[in-house]
Amino acid sequence: MIDIKKYDKELLMDMLEKMVLIRRFEEKAAQSYGLRKIGGFLHLYIGEEAVAVGAIQNLNLSKDYVLTTYRDHGHALACGLTPNSLMAELYGKITGCSKGKGGSMHFFDEKKHFYGGNGIVGAHIPIAAGVGLKIKYLKEDGVVLCFFGDGAIHQGSFHETLNMTKIWEIPVIFICENNQYGMGTDFKRVSSIQDFSIMAGSYGMYGEQVNGMNILEVYDTVKKSIEKAKNGIPVLLEAKTYRYKGHSASDPAKYRSKDELEKYKSQDPILILKNEMIKNNLLKEEEFEDIDIKCKKIAKEAADYAEKSDEPDLNELYTDILI
Amino acid sequence: MKITMREAIRAAIDEEMEKDTNIILMGEEVGQYNGAYKVSQGLLDKYTDKRILDTPITEEGFAGIGIGAAMAGLRPIVEFMTFNFSIQAMDQIINNAAKMLYMSGGQLKVPIVFRGPNGPAEFLGSQHSQALQTFFFHTPGLKVMAPSTPEDAKGMLKTAIRDDNPVIFLEGEMMYSWEGEVPENEYLIPFGKAIKRTEGSDITIISYSKPMKTVLETNEKLKELNINAEIIDLRSLRPLDEETIYESVKKTNRVVIVDESWPNASVASHIGWLIHKNVFDYLDAPVELVTSEDVPMPYNHKLELHAQPTVEKILNAVKKVMYI
Ligand SMILES: Cc1ncc(C[n+]2csc(CCOP(=O)(O)OP(=O)(O)O)c2C)c(N)n1
């Protein structure tokens, strides 16, 4: 067990609050989806918060970058995109982070170095390495975190990219968020191996499995990995995690048992950190309540903001295609 | 018998699999999950995982495996969860499936069907909502079908499955729950046979797949205007039933083509060119196209609806062609 006392209280509070914000934001989004204010796919990240927050907490987004999949709400919030701009995007409003043209799967913020938000499984993995190539080329000090699911790890794009990342010593950390399922498919049914981190060995990279429900473990492992990546050894991490909801808001998730879900809920990433902090006198139950109330309020305000925002003009249909 | 598009497609697969044990179905979620759009519901129970293969999310890989299996004698039906993801398999489809017979001097045939949802859906954004038929239509060595009713879907898919060529079978993503009458007895609908949905003498409207519904809705408005439209549903894009098109143009002398794919170098623009080339003398006005706007699909619903063919757009095109 990691000794929680070695961390700044401020850091711990920050990470706890970010995880709670993601959870409350997504619960609100799910509610709006239920009211048909948000349409299409809504892939919730609930249960996986420790992976994005723990990893991204290590970054300096003035020089580091983040790329992820369509399950991007958590990563975007962890990167500091505002709940208002994200909720507005879900509502398809002009005030959204992608002007309402992207939707849930396509959050972007160029200034915050959040390069998406990609709807095609595996398609952003080479893109992440390309961003890393720029860092290397310009001799910058940054690193790229590339998040993807267990479903993406079998794709050619993944294997092609790892090879190039290694031969060109590109500073990327690939983080496979293994939430156990790719849609309705248990990863064990479609994977020749079950510890994905060993795939790093095929490319002479560093690989490690980490408990994605424990934010401190994620935080430490990514910190260590950043050092390696910056020194020419790209890293593949497999974060073992779990999504509480179905693949998307319309999936009843009948392919898994209630017991399994309950088992994971009992090791909830927010609860793990909260309990550990309380046990070590770093947090009081009332303080946690305050955080929770605050995050619920932020989420509600984001929905109100989205609601009140304008739709894009019709002429937005033809803008942003070419410069 | 009234059934949905989804049931019609399933029935075609089921009936053909029952007859020919060389047919297999493969793709993401086709087995245990019963298909992302529930097209393959129940087929795993009936045919076991020997014939219903759940694949990893590896479009290029499983499309290629399907092609290899087809070259060696199996008859795979490969489901793309949606055709949006077939783009990852484009190399296998274009460079291997489409060209194998030709490159091998006629030795190696590739009896495979690639099928799944195609075309715009709702609120899904640019990567998940697009009509990709033109990419396949462009490629020699492929056959391309796109039904607009359950009856057509069943008869056309059975033909596709029995065909010894690679067939791209496009199902409108929004169409799976559409209902329609389907004959009880077995029937096949051949390649290259369009169908007239209405007979008319004032104008020819050519379309296929999901936009047929919008065309038929528009026709109600045209009737109010006393415009007598002849509506042609292409059904099969490659081969294309040029005869039915020309015959109709000779009668009506005016044409609107409705296609939800992008306008440039598209199915619609190609047909427009064919008409100008082959029956130019019969035209009383230039052919009009109503296509998707020339933009990636936006997420915002208002914009997304505006990006696609609408009743209003078709109506305007008809008026333009009729100079009214
Ligand atoms: C190339 C491609 N094929 C199929 C899909 C459809 N699809 C979307 S998400 C998904 C499952 C992905 O699972 P995983 O990578 O484990 O990520 P998770 O959703 O579990 O976070 C599939 C099959 C897609 N978006 N892109």
Side-chain angles (χ1 to χ4, degrees):
Chain A
M1 193 66 203
I2 293 167
D3 182 9
I4 199 165
K5 293 198 201 75
K6 71 177 192 193
Y7 303 91
D8 269 359
K9 185 178 170 188
E10 223 170 294
L11 171 79
L12 296 169
M13 289 298 272
D14 192 28
M15 293 202 293
L16 183 66
E17 186 165 331
K18 281 183 181 142
M19 286 200 288
V20 176
L21 177 63
I22 294 171
R23 175 116 2 139
R24 296 311 186 196
F25 176 91
E26 291 211 303
E27 284 168 354
K28 188 76 202 169
Q31 205 179 34
S32 296
Y33 185 85
L35 297 170
R36 295 178 175 273
K37 309 233 180 212
I38 296 172
F41 294 144
L42 191 76
H43 306 95
L44 299 178
Y45 194 61
I46 292 176
E48 307 187 41
E49 295 92 345
V51 185
V53 176
I56 293 167
Q57 194 73 29
N58 285 292
L59 301 186
N60 171 350
L61 288 166
S62 67
K63 48 186 194 154
D64 301 327
Y65 295 79
V66 170
L67 287 88
T68 187
T69 66
Y70 47 84
R71 199 178 297 287
D72 57 357
H73 308 170
H75 308 86
L77 285 167
C79 285
L81 277 70
T82 67
N84 282 7
S85 76
L86 300 182
M87 195 66 86
E89 189 57 36
L90 296 179
Y91 275 65
K93 299 298 180 74
I94 189 73
T95 50
C97 62
S98 306
K99 292 193 198 160
K101 291 177 174 181
S104 168
M105 299 188 284
H106 306 291
F107 287 171
F108 294 90
D109 191 323
E110 195 261 323
K111 290 207 178 60
K112 297 208 165 73
H113 284 185
F114 183 71
Y115 277 28
N118 196 304
I120 304 299
V121 169
H124 65 297
I125 300 177
I127 309 294
V131 175
L133 179 66
K134 180 248 23 181
I135 292 173
K136 176 91 203 275
Y137 186 82
L138 297 180
K139 298 194 170 70
E140 293 173 354
D141 176 38
V143 69
V144 180
L145 298 190
C146 177
F147 297 88
F148 51 89
D150 43 286
I153 208 156
H154 308 300
Q155 287 223 344
S157 63
F158 169 79
H159 295 277
E160 292 173 29
T161 303
L162 260 59
N163 184 53
M164 283 182 273
T165 306
K166 176 62 189 346
I167 59 173
W168 292 334
E169 301 183 333
I170 297 175
V172 184
I173 297 161
F174 300 96
I175 303 178
C176 176
E177 304 182 295
N178 185 354
N179 63 17
Q180 328 273 337
Y181 293 90
M183 278 191 74
T185 301
D186 186 327
F187 80 100
K188 296 189 188 92
R189 285 207 290 130
V190 287
S191 306
S192 55
I193 52 168
Q194 290 182 20
D195 175 353
F196 291 137
S197 68
I198 68 170
M199 286 184 176
S202 314
Y203 301 99
M205 290 170 47
Y206 179 78
E208 191 175 335
Q209 232 176 15
V210 39
N211 176 5
M213 303 308 254
N214 188 323
I215 193 165
L216 300 178
E217 219 180 294
V218 176
Y219 177 79
D220 283 357
T221 311
V222 171
K223 182 170 272 326
K224 177 178 79 180
S225 300
I226 290 174
E227 286 313 306
K228 288 190 198 303
K230 287 185 175 176
N231 286 312
I233 305 192
V235 177
L236 169 64
L237 302 177
E238 181 195 9
K240 287 279 191 190
T241 179
Y242 203 76
R243 64 165 151 75
Y244 293 179
K245 303 287 176 183
H247 169 68
S248 69
S250 59
D251 168 24
K254 287 193 196 127
Y255 42 82
R256 60 185 194 188
S257 70
K258 235 186 135 121
D259 285 353
E260 183 183 285
L261 176 61
E262 290 312 315
K263 187 184 106 196
Y264 279 99
K265 280 190 174 171
S266 71
Q267 9 166 335
D268 183 273
I270 296 176
L271 282 187
I272 291 179
L273 180 60
K274 174 192 159 192
N275 291 343
E276 198 61 18
M277 286 176 74
I278 290 180
K279 208 164 79 193
N280 287 278
N281 295 322
L282 293 161
L283 180 78
K284 295 195 190 66
E285 190 67 48
E286 308 84 71
E287 283 176 299
F288 181 79
E289 283 303 311
D290 288 345
I291 292 175
D292 198 33
I293 290 167
K294 180 173 145 198
C295 291
K296 279 184 181 155
K297 186 159 169 277
I298 295 172
K300 185 181 176 304
E301 282 167 3
D304 292 342
Y305 172 81
E307 190 104 18
K308 285 196 208 98
S309 292
D310 289 331
E311 302 247 348
D313 280 347
L314 260 193
N315 66 18
E316 285 292 343
L317 197 52
Y318 311 96
T319 64
D320 305 321
I321 296 166
L322 290 170
I323 291 170
Chain B
M1 184 178 47
K2 228 182 173 135
I3 60 172
T4 61
M5 196 82 179
R6 168 186 291 118
E7 289 162 336
I9 295 165
R10 182 189 309 140
I13 297 171
D14 190 7
E15 287 173 23
E16 293 305 303
M17 284 189 79
E18 217 163 60
K19 282 202 206 75
D20 183 349
T21 54
N22 279 329
I23 299 172
I24 57 171
L25 173 70
M26 55 197 281
E28 289 149 20
E29 310 287 352
V30 295
Q32 287 195 14
Y33 198 71
N34 283 310
Y37 290 84
K38 299 291 172 247
V39 167
S40 52
Q41 185 131 35
L43 296 183
L44 176 67
D45 290 344
K46 186 162 170 190
Y47 297 107
T48 77
D49 59 6
K50 181 161 180 260
R51 297 183 67 192
I52 308 289
L53 279 67
D54 276 324
T55 67
I57 310 168
T58 49
E59 276 75 8
E60 185 179 3
F62 70 70
I65 287 176
I67 293 165
M71 287 162 60
L74 296 187
R75 306 185 72 83
I77 302 169
V78 172
E79 174 175 301
F80 289 121
M81 185 178 285
T82 73
F83 264 92
N84 300 292
F85 318 138
S86 77
I87 300 173
Q88 294 197 332
M90 239 19 168
D91 178 53
Q92 288 298 334
I93 297 172
I94 297 177
N95 270 327
N96 289 332
K99 299 172 184 168
M100 196 53 70
L101 185 69
Y102 195 81
M103 299 190 292
S104 69
Q107 298 178 74
L108 291 170
K109 58 181 187 177
V110 188
I112 191 167
V113 177
F114 294 102
R115 51 154 291 273
N118 172 59
E122 283 185 305
F123 303 99
L124 298 187
S126 308
Q127 295 180 331
H128 274 73
S129 190
Q130 52 195 332
L132 295 169
Q133 50 267 41
T134 291
F135 291 85
F136 303 106
F137 181 71
H138 184 63
T139 310
L142 297 178
K143 290 188 175 180
V144 184
M145 285 183 140
S148 74
T149 67
E151 178 179 359
D152 281 3
K154 185 175 175 196
M156 284 161 63
L157 184 53
K158 285 171 75 98
T159 300
I161 294 170
R162 291 183 197 186
D163 198 77
D164 276 345
N165 296 286
V167 182
I168 307 293
F169 194 86
L170 304 162
E171 303 153 12
E173 183 157 341
M174 307 292 291
M175 292 169 72
Y176 286 115
S177 57
W178 293 9
E179 285 192 336
E181 282 296 331
V182 171
E184 303 272 351
N185 56 321
E186 167 154 314
Y187 63 98
L188 294 171
I189 293 173
F191 286 101
K193 273 265 169 281
I195 187 169
K196 280 186 199 162
R197 294 292 174 203
T198 64
E199 296 269 350
S201 52
D202 296 333
I203 185 161
T204 300
I205 306 180
I206 300 169
S207 191
Y208 61 96
S209 189
K210 189 184 86 194
M212 271 310 300
K213 191 170 176 220
T214 318
V215 169
L216 293 171
E217 277 168 32
T218 310
N219 194 39
E220 295 308 308
K221 303 243 149 86
L222 295 180
K223 281 184 199 159
E224 288 166 23
L225 298 171
N226 275 327
I227 296 171
N228 200 354
E230 180 143 295
I231 298 174
I232 295 177
D233 183 348
L234 295 173
R235 309 203 283 197
S236 159
L237 305 180
R238 222 185 217 279
L240 183 69
D241 184 354
E242 295 183 36
E243 275 325 298
T244 299
I245 295 173
Y246 300 150
E247 188 197 308
S248 179
V249 176
K250 285 178 186 171
K251 184 165 70 172
T252 66
N253 317 115
R254 299 168 197 274
V255 188
V256 170
I257 305 167
V258 182
D259 180 357
E260 64 186 357
S261 62
W262 289 305
N264 282 22
S266 64
V267 176
S269 68
H270 177 74
I271 295 172
W273 169 74
L274 281 176
I275 293 170
H276 283 108
K277 178 169 159 258
N278 293 312
V279 282
F280 182 77
D281 290 348
Y282 294 89
L283 287 176
D284 285 343
V287 174
E288 271 294 313
L289 310 187
V290 179
T291 66
S292 160
E293 298 294 315
D294 197 20
V295 304
M297 187 63 81
Y299 166 75
N300 173 278
H301 197 47
K302 185 180 81 179
L303 299 190
E304 139 177 278
L305 290 176
H306 194 77
Q308 301 171 55
T310 60
V311 169
E312 197 192 353
K313 288 184 192 177
I314 301 170
L315 208 53
N316 287 339
V318 169
K319 287 181 180 166
K320 193 166 168 197
V321 172
M322 298 192 67
Y323 301 113
I324 50 176

